[in-house]
Amino acid sequence: MAGLPGRWATTTRWAAGAVTPALSKLVLAMQLSLKGTPCLYQGDELALPEADVPFELLQDPYGITFWPEFKGRDGCRTPMPWNSEAPHAGFTTGTPWLPVAEPHKALAADLQDKDPQSTLNFARNIIHWRRTLPQITRGDIVFFDVPEQALALRRDLAGHPSVLAVFNVTDAPLTFDWPEAAGAAPLAGHGLAGDVVDGRVTLPPYGGWFGTVEGA
């Protein structure tokens, strides 16, 4: 896995501007809905954006060599912020290899743990919710032709109703017709906002919807 960009850099690339909790929750939900084994890097569950590490503190040889065109991988290797008030955000009592990013302190685990609407608690909830649906953990997958602002899929497992999922990957509201979802029963408990009525999809920015359908 050495070639992977690491941790929360993926969410930063998804963002048109700043990384927001809404975008991070959507990315988590989409990843956990796809076929295969999900891999969450430490920091994804906190919605951490990639850190901006000053040149003089870089450790990555690639970043040092190719600065500033390529800043290397250190921006997604900075310490985890465990405690917003502790030195080095509670990561170590010594001197960390890389500095704690200042914007990460406001997203520290101790703060998010107390907020029921935080990305951390969303991640905990949807991981648990996913385990209750064998269609998502073990089923086959089918994708649908929908507007490019959306991702729509179905997970199928013999002996279970199929699970439909649709996500709005943009920061603008989205409405379109999805005939395959007509008659589907909505699933609750995942934590995303969205609605499908008679095959008409209505999603807020970075919204999502899950439902079940028989005989897909």
Side-chain angles (χ1 to χ4, degrees):
M1 301 179 70
L4 293 176
R7 294 195 352 210
W8 47 84
T10 300
T11 306
T12 296
R13 289 202 306 272
W14 269 86
V19 173
T20 65
L23 171 61
S24 295
K25 291 175 182 180
L26 182 79
V27 171
L28 281 166
M30 286 195 302
Q31 182 178 0
L32 291 167
S33 301
L34 298 174
K35 188 175 181 179
T37 302
C39 178
L40 303 185
Y41 282 95
Q42 184 174 264
D44 287 342
E45 76 282 12
L46 299 180
L48 298 183
E50 187 166 0
D52 186 12
V53 180
F55 175 79
E56 61 272 16
L57 297 179
L58 286 179
Q59 303 292 333
D60 184 6
Y62 293 107
I64 294 170
T65 300
F66 296 107
W67 177 279
E69 288 79 11
F70 174 63
K71 297 183 178 182
R73 299 160 291 185
D74 286 343
C76 51
R77 292 172 167 177
T78 55
M80 276 287 290
W82 296 110
N83 187 319
S84 60
E85 299 296 330
H88 307 301
F91 182 77
T92 180
T93 56
T95 301
W97 190 51
L98 290 166
V100 175
E102 195 63 33
H104 290 180
K105 294 180 181 179
L107 299 170
D110 67 319
L111 299 178
Q112 294 204 36
D113 187 50
K114 296 178 286 189
D115 178 5
Q117 301 304 314
S118 70
T119 308
L120 174 59
N121 282 312
F122 175 87
R124 289 168 171 164
N125 175 75
I126 199 166
I127 289 171
H128 173 76
W129 178 82
R130 177 182 182 270
R131 292 181 183 139
T132 68
L133 294 166
Q135 305 95 312
I136 294 180
T137 59
R138 305 198 309 270
D140 293 327
I141 193 167
V142 176
F143 293 98
F144 295 92
D145 186 10
V146 293
E148 64 180 7
Q149 299 93 329
L151 173 69
L153 57 90
R154 190 184 73 224
R155 301 300 306 274
D156 303 321
L157 184 65
H160 298 271
S162 295
V163 172
L164 296 173
V166 60
F167 308 98
N168 178 4
V169 301
T170 73
D171 59 359
L174 181 62
T175 300
F176 63 94
D177 289 322
W178 186 22
E180 290 81 4
L187 282 170
H190 47 80
L192 294 179
D195 196 17
V196 176
V197 178
D198 295 329
R200 184 71 170 172
V201 177
T202 303
L203 300 173
Y206 301 129
W209 176 91
F210 291 83
T212 58
V213 62
E214 298 286 350

